[in-house]
Each structure stands twice: as structure tokens, then as C-alpha cells.
Amino acid sequence: EEKIVASVDQAGAYFLRLLDGQRTEQLYQLCVDAKGKVLSCRMLSQGQADMTVLSLRQVVENALLSDASAVVLAHNHPSGVALPSDADVLVTHRIQEALAPLGIRLADHIIVADNDYVSMAESGFLQR
């Protein structure tokens, strides 16, 4: 079944379902084509209750192997607060900078907590 994730609301709903009830932080990468069709969705890492580790190389490789036009990252905050931390903002900018020269757009980074989510793109944390 073809899945389309082409808006903040669609991405938020997609990751709310995926991350609902998780007790440790999990980080996912969703690769989509130019129309928002899901090409792949991979768990990049799973951490403790309050942290996870991210490999920039893995993000770039997944995007290239999927032939993605755009990437949406998402992770959960088991603490219950969906606001991005300073570390979340920093790693998001690093990923955006790594993907840009390849013509791959970081469309968003969604943070999920307690049946809610925050879009870093909608909140102004992503550079345009």
C-alpha cells in the first residue's frame, strides 16, 4: 500500500502511531520522493530513556540508497515534553547541512511525546 507523507500533519500522525508508548528514545528516518511517497522508514537508533545516538553517515547513506528527494527525522521524548532540546537543534542543523549538497532536503524533524508532537520546521528551527 502506497503511503504519502507530504505535510506536517501527515508526518506528525505517522510518527505518533509509530512511537506511541515507547519508553526509550527512538530515532527514525523517513525517506520520501518529491511527491511525499514513502520510500523507506528506518530506525536509526534506540537509546536510554533520555538520549539516543545518531550517525550522520547513516542518514546520508539511507537517503542515497532510497533515492530520496527529502528526509523526515523523528524521535520521541519519553519524558513527556515534545519541545526540542539544544542537542536536537544542533544535530538537526548538522543533518540538514550534510544532505543539502546532495540535493536532498531535510523536510522536518518531528519530536513526539505524550500523544503530541512538535514540528521543528513549523517551529522555525530548520533553516530554509
Side-chain angles (χ1 to χ4, degrees):
E1 178 183 328
E2 189 173 286
K3 269 247 189 258
I4 302 293
V5 177
S7 71
V8 170
D9 289 339
Q10 288 172 329
Y14 184 93
F15 287 112
L16 275 172
R17 280 191 304 277
L18 191 63
L19 291 165
D20 183 44
Q22 297 301 320
R23 296 187 187 272
T24 59
E25 197 165 296
Q26 297 179 357
L27 176 68
Y28 282 88
Q29 176 181 359
L30 184 71
C31 294
V32 298
D33 68 10
K35 294 180 181 176
K37 182 177 129 190
V38 174
L39 303 170
S40 67
C41 182
R42 293 187 175 101
M43 182 192 290
L44 298 179
S45 66
Q46 182 169 357
Q48 306 302 316
D50 64 349
M51 69 164 268
T52 189
V53 178
L54 173 65
S55 162
L56 289 176
R57 178 184 175 127
Q58 188 178 16
V59 171
V60 170
E61 284 178 355
N62 288 342
L64 290 172
L65 288 171
S66 297
D67 198 24
S69 294
V71 166
V72 178
L73 296 175
H75 75 279
N76 61 318
H77 281 177
S79 66
V81 179
L83 296 174
S85 67
D86 291 343
D88 292 337
V89 173
L90 180 64
V91 76
T92 300
H93 288 164
R94 285 188 179 154
I95 292 166
Q96 191 173 32
E97 290 168 358
L99 292 173
L102 304 171
I104 302 169
R105 183 174 61 90
L106 179 58
D108 209 340
H109 187 159
I110 303 286
I111 300 172
V112 173
D114 285 344
N115 290 321
D116 193 18
Y117 68 88
V118 169
S119 158
M120 289 181 70
E122 211 171 57
S123 300
F125 289 104
L126 284 183
Q127 302 157 350
R128 298 278 170 188

